[in-house]
Amino acid sequence: MALETPDAQLSGAEHPLVPDSGGPSFSEFDLTLLNALQVSPRGSWSQIGTALGVDATTASRRWRQLSDDGRAWITAYPIGQHHTNAYVTLACTPEAVHRVGSALCGLTCAYQVERTDGKAQYFAAVATAGPQALDDLVHDHLSRIPGVVSIRAELCLHVYHEGGGWQPRTLDSSQRAQLATPPSDPSPVPLKASDRPLLDALSADGRCSYTELADRCGVSETTVRRRLGKLTRSGQLAFRCDMTQQAAGWPFNAIFEVDAGADLDRVGRAVSTWPEIRLCASTSGRYNLLVYLWLRSAQDCRRIEERLVALSDNLRVDSRRVTLRPLKRMGRLLGPHGAAVGHVPLDVWRDSSPRSA
């Protein structure tokens, strides 16, 4: 199965949205609309339209166009759970490249998959129920994929910044104020098995209506509103508006593995403020900081490395890689031009039994 158009028949994956045709760049209004949905993913179209100075119908219609052609999407995922996140670097033989990539994309626990340059062909971010489950995933599943020759996994120890916090920064302060959401309630609201239909529906479409959610969950709309409100306010459920990076003007990805020494925390906090940063996290590996960026051009890699080195005399860049092709982001399967062409529901890897989607 070729990775250029992820196969819709991945077990558990939804049918593709549309073929990835590589649409035009986002307009200024598109970016402002998407930024508004990043701030308020489930805000009413009336609220969003008012903040942007357009009517609700205009905002809704443009979102539907961007969503239908796969250039933008909203997903939801649980947070605050005691999961083990890890970053996996995997090398394989040339003839196994597509087979291995398809296997990675089909895993419900792999929320990010990228084919990279260098000796290792793949970078993947995964979520498991714990260290032992990560060991099961790596040594009892991934290592048995024909053609895999090496695997390296590092635990995520602390996240300074993650992709859900990246924004094109096209909203002004007044617009942000109009879209502000109520503060979260720290009262714990643990997830229940009965929440699975709700999570699956919102993972596929974060703006799914309450009526449709109620129908999928087999409960009343009032029950859905109440439960979703509790999960969101408690910080157990996060919503994320994402977009095709090529259309947004950030077509290149770079991954830096950095040893920041004793300056780890200071460097991590500094790097997390850079506009290019999609992920900045401390890890358990031979390097202690992973830096993942969206860039305007491949030449920006050198500029970023110079900025990193300038942060600390003790800092050393252990490796740098460029993504040749992003294949999956937060459960969305990506076509060759970065548009969403399918969806694999997210779930953590819990044991050594097969859990591919």
Side-chain angles (χ1 to χ4, degrees):
M1 179 166 56
L3 288 175
E4 283 70 19
T5 52
D7 198 307
Q9 299 308 313
L10 283 171
S11 173
E14 295 191 349
H15 292 295
L17 305 177
V18 293
D20 177 15
S21 58
S25 299
F26 293 127
S27 67
E28 189 67 22
F29 174 73
D30 290 340
L31 288 174
T32 305
L33 172 62
L34 295 176
N35 200 172
L37 287 166
Q38 289 175 321
V39 175
S40 182
R42 287 186 64 85
S44 70
W45 288 121
S46 176
Q47 178 191 27
I48 291 171
T50 298
L52 302 187
V54 299
D55 59 76
T57 301
T58 298
S60 174
R61 182 173 59 246
R62 186 52 182 159
W63 164 252
R64 181 51 54 192
Q65 292 170 341
L66 294 174
S67 177
D68 284 348
D69 69 15
R71 288 198 288 154
W73 56 92
I74 294 177
T75 191
Y77 51 95
I79 57 177
Q81 306 299 302
H82 298 293
H83 298 152
T84 294
N85 292 315
Y87 308 111
V88 177
T89 298
L90 188 149
C92 59
T93 57
E95 67 275 9
V97 168
H98 292 298
R99 177 174 62 246
V100 171
S102 294
L104 289 172
C105 285
L107 290 171
T108 59
C109 66
Y111 53 91
Q112 180 177 348
V113 179
E114 310 212 351
R115 194 154 72 226
T116 64
D117 67 352
K119 295 180 179 179
Q121 287 79 14
Y122 287 103
F123 169 83
V126 301
T128 69
Q132 291 184 345
L134 177 62
D135 184 70
D136 289 337
L137 171 65
V138 171
H139 298 107
D140 294 337
H141 185 79
L142 296 180
S143 66
R144 296 181 181 179
I145 300 175
V148 169
V149 296
S150 71
I151 305 174
R152 174 167 57 90
E154 276 91 21
L155 271 64
C156 170
L157 302 180
H158 176 73
V159 175
Y160 294 98
H161 183 87
E162 56 93 22
W166 182 92
Q167 296 182 16
R169 306 184 184 188
T170 51
L171 294 175
D172 60 33
S173 58
S174 174
Q175 291 170 315
R176 287 183 175 278
Q178 294 180 68
L179 295 166
T181 56
S184 60
D185 180 356
S187 303
V189 180
L191 290 170
K192 301 182 293 187
S194 58
D195 291 323
R196 173 50 59 189
L198 178 64
L199 296 178
D200 285 348
L202 291 170
S203 173
D205 179 7
R207 286 192 65 87
C208 191
S209 70
Y210 290 110
T211 301
E212 187 173 358
L213 289 173
D215 182 61
R216 292 193 184 189
C217 297
V219 297
S220 70
E221 185 174 327
T222 300
T223 299
V224 166
R225 285 180 179 271
R226 184 185 306 116
R227 183 59 179 168
L228 183 54
K230 286 183 178 180
L231 289 173
T232 304
R233 288 192 300 272
S234 68
Q236 297 299 299
L237 185 64
F239 289 85
R240 171 168 163 171
C241 177
D242 226 326
M243 66 192 74
T244 304
Q245 65 182 93
Q246 289 87 336
W250 304 78
F252 293 93
N253 301 350
I255 305 168
F256 289 86
E257 296 173 343
V258 175
D259 182 357
D263 292 332
L264 170 64
D265 192 57
R266 182 178 63 81
V267 170
R269 285 186 282 108
V271 171
S272 67
T273 65
W274 295 358
E276 304 93 342
I277 292 296
R278 291 287 297 189
L279 173 68
C280 181
S282 62
T283 71
S284 63
R286 65 172 183 264
Y287 57 92
N288 59 10
L289 189 68
L290 180 74
V291 178
Y292 173 81
L293 314 97
W294 278 7
L295 302 175
R296 300 284 189 187
S297 69
Q299 289 72 31
D300 285 341
C301 287
R302 180 60 183 270
R303 177 179 57 83
I304 291 296
E305 183 165 348
E306 291 174 348
R307 288 176 65 187
L308 284 168
V309 172
L311 288 173
S312 169
D313 292 338
N314 299 320
L315 187 145
R316 179 173 61 86
V317 175
D318 191 69
S319 73
R320 76 283 294 157
R321 282 176 286 169
V322 173
T323 297
L324 302 178
R325 181 163 296 173
L327 299 171
K328 186 180 183 183
R329 190 188 316 145
M330 294 309 296
R332 286 304 193 282
L333 301 174
L334 305 179
H337 299 286
V341 296
H343 173 246
V344 177
L346 297 173
D347 195 8
V348 299
W349 185 278
R350 300 187 182 280
D351 51 42
S352 57
S353 61
R355 293 183 60 82
S356 58

